[in-house]
């Protein structure tokens, strides 16, 4: 199952369309593998106080590389 998310600015102008391809969990933290028309990347999934979910950029380079490495190793043949 794939989830599509429309990214908008504060004026509800569409900025991008992201497709959540996969969700992975590392140390009880959920990360989304997202893709738009041109690239694939990773976001952290944050649960808000009202129980909604939000995708946020991973700003720590080491955390981003750890998520990328974990995702790629899961794709590699065993």
């Amino acid at each position: 199952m794939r989830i599509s998310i429309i990214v908008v600015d504060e004026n509800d102008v569409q900025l991008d369309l992201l497709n959540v391809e996969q969700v992975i969990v590392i140390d009880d933290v959920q990360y989304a593998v997202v893709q738009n028309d041109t690239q694939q990347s990773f976001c952290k999934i944050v649960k808000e106080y009202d129980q909604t979910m939000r995708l946020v950029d991973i700003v720590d380079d080491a955390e981003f590389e750890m998520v990328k490495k974990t995702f790629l190793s899961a794709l590699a043949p065993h």
Side-chain angles (χ1 to χ4, degrees):
M1 177 175 77
R2 185 168 77 178
I3 300 170
S4 296
I5 298 173
I6 299 171
V7 181
V8 297
D9 65 11
E10 62 275 355
N11 297 317
D12 288 334
V13 175
Q14 182 173 337
L15 301 175
D16 204 353
L17 176 66
L18 294 177
N19 294 311
V20 177
E21 301 292 334
Q22 188 172 0
V23 173
I24 58 176
V25 179
I26 303 170
D27 296 330
D28 295 327
V29 178
Q30 292 182 332
Y31 297 94
V33 181
V34 295
Q35 185 170 341
N36 64 13
D37 289 338
T38 60
Q39 63 184 359
Q40 184 177 52
S41 192
F42 307 96
C43 293
K44 188 183 290 189
I45 301 173
V46 176
K47 192 176 208 177
E48 299 291 348
Y49 67 93
D50 64 356
Q51 303 302 310
T52 59
M53 306 294 255
R54 183 168 56 100
L55 293 178
V56 296
D57 290 330
I58 301 172
V59 294
D60 180 11
D61 289 340
E63 181 181 17
F64 184 88
E65 288 302 318
M66 181 262 310
V67 172
K68 180 179 175 182
K69 181 179 176 183
T70 301
F71 175 70
L72 293 176
S73 69
L75 292 179
H78 296 279

